[in-house]
Amino acid sequence: MITKKCRICEKRLLNVIKFNKVALSGSFLKKNQIRKEKKYSLSLLVCKSCKHVQINNIINPNILFSHYDWETGVSKSNISLIRSLLFKLRKNFRFKKNSKIFEVASNDGTLLNEFKNYCGKSNILGIDPAKNLKKISDKKNIPTILGYFSYNKSKEIYKKYKKFDFCVARNVIAHAKDPNSIFKGVKNILKEKGIFVIEVPHLYNIFKDNQYDNIFHEHLGFHSLKSIKDLCNINLLKLIDVELIDSQGGSIRCYISHQNFKKKINNRVKNILKKEIEIGLFKLTTWKIFSNKISHHRKKLRNYLLKIKNNKKIISAYGASGKGQALLQFCGIDSKIISHVYDKSIFKQGKYTPGTHLKIVNPKFINKHMPDYLLLLSWNIVREIARQEKKYLSGNGKIIIPFPKPKIFIR
Ligand SMILES: [Zn+2]
């Protein structure tokens, strides 16, 4: 569905960039699916009124999310982020052994499993639409509802489970067609002194570091802190604190309460909102600059790899993340340049990458294949990958990081 209205304030949108049609970056293919693969239009737009940056083409969520190949538990960095969140909630927001917690888009249950060790199974609940991930969370004994969270769903949840002390939504607000419905739903099931935590990639970094690999059909919106504050205002909630976290190339972790909650708004909120204005996130001209930066980077990365390839070197890629697939497709990096893609997820191994059709294999083969270069598509977790691939690096293997500009990683 092509949208003409802002997903936050419903006002009109202005077109910023029109990309070529691309395959769905999270849809990894079996060999027999390659021939039938569909491509979809993709444009970046900005709201004329609230300046929220978003895409035009809303794909049916059942196509994107009823089977989901991205598992929270696969990344060690993700687990340490979850532990840091639990620590913060205990320290600053009185998360106790009898606190009740609800997670929107609980994925494979990794977060709730960490919290379960602290507050017990009867105090945790998750919701997620992916059937394959529910099988994993069921094995971990995590109570999980199969479905999408919305205001309507919150009424059912309230009837059965009443209210929660904490609601968490990590990396899901940007995926939702109607973020207002999530906010309204959380408000409905959040206790009077409850806290709603959101983690979302920060538009500030997307613009500053030119992270256009974030633009694919799963991400419907790109969030500034202002956009989160707008969502709070519309839904009568209050943004009380924020921290910058090292996740997805730089994310914001926002703490939200009911409007009458008596806690002073932390100065960090004001400071980050100010920085967003200073860098120009709410000026339409900024997005023209962004568009030019993207065209420049696409050419630069492709030429960088072609130059290596022309010297008869072998290049493989690491990390079959959605954003990696967006990048390969935007830059036209296919089997002529890359031999194959390594990824730890067992759901992806043996499949082919969307749009570019590269075979995905287990990273344990890296040291057997010994490609001269590894293009790191999961560039946001470079340190984790470098630690994991110590042997490859000591054997003269080289890792290429694509952003902000392509370069060789130095330990
Ligand atoms: Zn708007």
Side-chain angles (χ1 to χ4, degrees):
M1 182 190 97
I2 302 293
T3 182
K4 292 196 167 74
K5 278 200 236 162
C6 173
R7 64 196 269 282
I8 292 182
C9 78
E10 299 190 346
K11 297 277 162 45
R12 287 181 59 196
L13 302 166
L14 185 82
N15 210 320
V16 179
I17 308 166
K18 188 169 185 272
F19 294 98
N20 290 332
K21 281 190 172 183
V22 284
L24 299 175
S25 284
S27 298
F28 297 88
L29 309 159
K30 290 182 188 150
K31 200 163 193 177
N32 62 5
Q33 293 172 317
I34 292 178
R35 222 166 38 88
K36 293 177 285 181
E37 189 182 41
K38 278 191 195 162
K39 293 201 172 179
Y40 299 82
S41 75
L42 182 64
S43 293
L44 191 71
L45 313 150
V46 59
C47 172
K48 286 183 180 174
S49 175
C50 76
K51 308 295 187 290
H52 177 51
V53 179
Q54 52 207 291
I55 65 164
N56 66 329
N57 195 352
I58 299 173
I59 305 291
N60 177 349
N62 289 330
I63 296 176
L64 298 174
F65 305 121
S66 64
H67 175 99
Y68 202 51
D69 281 332
W70 194 86
E71 296 161 78
T72 306
V74 163
S75 154
K76 280 185 189 156
S77 313
N78 228 327
I79 293 169
S80 59
L81 277 165
I82 287 167
R83 289 185 181 151
S84 81
L85 174 62
L86 176 57
F87 177 79
K88 280 273 157 66
L89 294 183
R90 286 174 60 184
K91 192 172 148 241
N92 299 345
F93 296 100
R94 296 182 184 175
F95 191 100
K96 296 199 194 90
K97 288 213 179 279
N98 60 355
S99 291
K100 274 175 74 185
I101 177 162
F102 174 70
E103 188 183 15
V104 182
S106 49
N107 196 276
D108 61 0
T110 300
L111 178 138
L112 289 174
N113 201 33
E114 287 290 326
F115 280 67
K116 186 176 76 169
N117 296 334
Y118 186 72
C119 62
K121 188 191 165 190
S122 59
N123 286 325
I124 60 169
L125 180 68
I127 183 167
D128 199 282
K131 293 187 190 100
N132 60 319
L133 296 174
K134 183 163 162 45
K135 279 185 197 156
I136 304 178
S137 55
D138 283 349
K139 271 188 201 153
K140 294 180 193 159
N141 216 358
I142 307 291
T144 310
I145 300 166
L146 187 68
Y148 299 92
F149 184 70
S150 63
Y151 176 58
N152 279 338
K153 202 75 183 180
S154 79
K155 292 185 207 164
E156 284 172 37
I157 292 171
Y158 178 75
K159 264 189 207 152
K160 196 164 170 196
Y161 303 91
K162 300 298 172 210
K163 295 199 175 190
F164 292 81
D165 300 280
F166 295 89
C167 291
V168 177
R170 299 178 68 239
N171 298 315
V172 62
I173 296 298
H175 299 61
K177 181 183 162 208
D178 185 0
N180 282 299
S181 178
I182 294 185
F183 274 64
K184 200 174 167 194
V186 166
K187 186 179 159 66
N188 195 31
I189 56 165
L190 191 66
K191 285 187 187 173
E192 201 184 327
K193 290 180 180 170
I195 296 293
F196 175 28
V197 182
I198 287 173
E199 287 180 18
V200 68
H202 194 189
L203 182 66
Y204 185 91
N205 298 302
I206 294 174
F207 171 67
K208 182 172 72 61
D209 297 334
N210 200 23
Q211 298 167 5
Y212 61 95
D213 57 345
N214 247 298
I215 307 168
F216 56 99
H217 292 96
E218 277 178 28
H219 296 160
L220 298 175
F222 306 92
H223 286 277
S224 59
L225 186 62
K226 178 194 170 286
S227 72
I228 300 295
K229 195 169 174 249
D230 289 345
L231 282 162
C232 288
N233 290 344
I234 294 169
N235 297 287
L236 308 175
L237 290 164
K238 183 163 79 168
L239 174 65
I240 56 171
D241 200 358
V242 62
E243 53 179 322
L244 302 176
I245 54 169
D246 187 11
S247 165
Q248 310 283 335
S251 295
I252 40 176
R253 181 185 278 163
C254 310
Y255 297 89
I256 295 162
S257 70
H258 285 287
Q259 276 188 331
N260 55 3
F261 183 65
K262 285 191 183 57
K263 192 166 169 101
K264 210 178 140 245
I265 296 174
N266 193 295
N267 272 339
R268 279 188 288 264
V269 172
K270 197 171 75 187
N271 293 342
I272 293 176
L273 290 171
K274 194 169 151 233
K275 278 180 122 185
E276 290 183 343
I277 295 171
E278 281 166 4
I279 202 174
L281 293 190
F282 315 116
K283 278 192 220 155
L284 296 176
T285 47
T286 297
W287 302 105
K288 286 289 163 204
I289 299 170
F290 187 57
S291 169
N292 293 336
K293 276 164 74 181
I294 292 175
S295 328
H296 182 71
H297 185 273
R298 282 160 81 174
K299 279 183 212 135
K300 197 163 183 163
L301 179 62
R302 198 180 147 78
N303 290 340
Y304 185 91
L305 298 174
L306 280 173
K307 208 170 147 192
I308 295 173
K309 196 70 196 163
N310 290 341
N311 285 329
K312 305 265 179 293
K313 302 287 185 192
I314 295 171
I315 313 173
S316 294
Y318 191 103
S321 56
K323 58 193 207 174
Q325 306 324 307
L327 184 68
L328 294 180
Q329 293 196 75
F330 287 151
C331 301
I333 300 169
D334 56 14
S335 59
K336 291 186 193 105
I337 301 178
I338 301 281
S339 58
H340 41 251
V341 179
Y342 299 100
D343 196 280
K344 276 207 277 188
S345 164
I346 48 163
F347 291 137
K348 294 176 190 168
Q349 290 165 11
K351 289 186 181 172
Y352 292 81
T353 57
T356 51
H357 310 149
L358 301 160
K359 191 167 185 182
I360 302 167
V361 288
N362 191 319
K364 71 180 182 195
F365 292 110
I366 292 178
N367 292 307
K368 196 174 161 211
H369 299 158
M370 256 338 256
D372 300 289
Y373 293 84
L374 267 183
L375 172 65
L376 188 57
L377 300 175
S378 322
W379 52 267
N380 49 308
I381 49 169
V382 59
R383 304 223 162 259
E384 178 178 337
I385 305 292
R387 265 196 302 276
Q388 184 191 300
E389 300 308 330
K390 260 191 292 200
K391 202 172 156 195
Y392 169 73
L393 287 167
S394 353
N396 223 9
K398 293 181 183 63
I399 290 179
I400 301 167
I401 315 170
F403 288 102
K405 53 183 177 187
K407 65 172 184 197
I408 303 290
F409 171 72
I410 300 164
R411 272 191 285 182

